[in-house]
Amino acid sequence: MDDSTLLARIRRGDDGGFDTLFRRYYESLAGFAASLLKDQQAGEDVAQDVMLELWRRRDSLDIAESCRSYLFRAVRNRALNVLRHEDTVRRSEPAIVVEMADSVPAPDVPDTGGLAAAIAAAVGGLPEPVRECFLMNREHGLTYPEIASTLGISVKTVEARMGWGLKELRVRLAPWRAAMR
C-alpha cells in the first residue's frame, strides 16, 4: 500500500492506516533524530512526537510532497527545536571550568581497531548542514531530491554539501586509509 493511500486512510481516522505508516517509518525517523541529537532515547521521543502530531492533525493534513520527506522534515525541525532548547538551558546554567590533564600524544598512524570511532568523530566534526545531508543520505537512505525537499534547499546544494563532506572525510581519515594500504 502506498503512502498516499495510507494518508487518505489516516485522514478518515483509520488507525490501521496510521499503524502501517508508523511501522513503515518509525525506526528510520527515530534513527535520524538520534543521529542529530546524539541520544537514542531523545531520538525515539522526537519520532514519537512527530507521529503523534500527525495523528492529532489528521483532519487537516495537507502533504504536498512525499510522505517520507514530510516526516523527515518534521523530525528534523523537532530535533533542531530540542537542540535549541538544550542550548538555551546550557547557557543559562553557571559556567563550569574543568581542568584537563595533559593527554598522551596520539601515534602517527592510528590502530585500525579505532576506525569506527575515527569515522564517527570525523562525521561528528563536519559542519551541521554538511553532517545533516551526509547522515540523511548514508545512514537513512534518502536520495538527494528527498534531502533537498526535506531541508528546503536545492538538489545542487545537497550535491555540494555531500561533495564537501566526502572530501573532508577523506582528509580526516587519511591516516587510516594509508595504514590499510
Side-chain angles (χ1 to χ4, degrees):
M1 187 175 309
D2 69 346
D3 290 349
S4 59
T5 304
L6 289 174
L7 286 173
R9 287 178 59 190
I10 291 169
R11 283 186 196 103
R12 291 191 305 264
D14 179 359
D15 56 355
F18 176 75
D19 184 58
T20 302
L21 190 76
F22 184 92
R23 291 179 191 279
R24 182 175 293 169
Y25 290 111
Y26 174 75
E27 188 176 324
S28 58
L29 293 172
F32 175 55
S35 68
L36 292 174
L37 299 170
K38 296 178 178 42
D39 180 342
Q40 185 64 37
Q41 184 59 52
E44 290 176 8
D45 291 345
V46 164
Q48 289 173 9
D49 288 348
V50 166
M51 295 304 281
L52 180 60
E53 190 64 24
L54 179 80
W55 178 253
R56 284 185 185 148
R57 294 185 26 214
R58 67 187 174 274
D59 296 334
S60 61
L61 278 180
D62 184 26
I63 300 176
E65 61 209 284
S66 79
C67 183
R68 176 182 169 105
S69 293
Y70 173 85
L71 290 171
F72 271 91
R73 181 181 306 157
V75 164
R76 173 186 175 266
N77 290 342
R78 182 77 51 119
L80 291 176
N81 286 343
V82 168
L83 290 172
R84 277 189 216 104
H85 175 72
E86 288 174 353
D87 186 49
T88 301
V89 169
R90 200 173 17 260
R91 281 187 284 140
S92 68
E93 294 174 351
I96 299 174
V97 178
V98 178
E99 291 184 24
M100 297 178 64
D102 292 338
S103 61
V104 178
D108 289 339
V109 177
D111 143 8
T112 57
L115 181 58
I119 292 171
V123 171
L126 293 173
E128 179 62 31
V130 174
R131 182 176 64 243
E132 190 172 38
C133 286
F134 183 83
L135 292 173
M136 291 174 88
N137 178 257
R138 298 303 166 108
E139 285 190 9
H140 304 289
L142 271 68
T143 64
Y144 286 12
E146 287 174 329
I147 295 169
S149 173
T150 300
L151 300 178
I153 58 178
S154 72
V155 174
K156 288 289 187 190
T157 301
V158 173
E159 290 171 356
R161 289 179 182 177
M162 286 296 294
W164 190 92
L166 291 170
K167 179 180 175 188
E168 185 67 21
L169 290 176
R170 279 191 292 275
V171 169
R172 292 178 185 204
L173 298 172
W176 279 268
R177 292 178 64 208
M180 296 177 131
R181 289 183 184 165

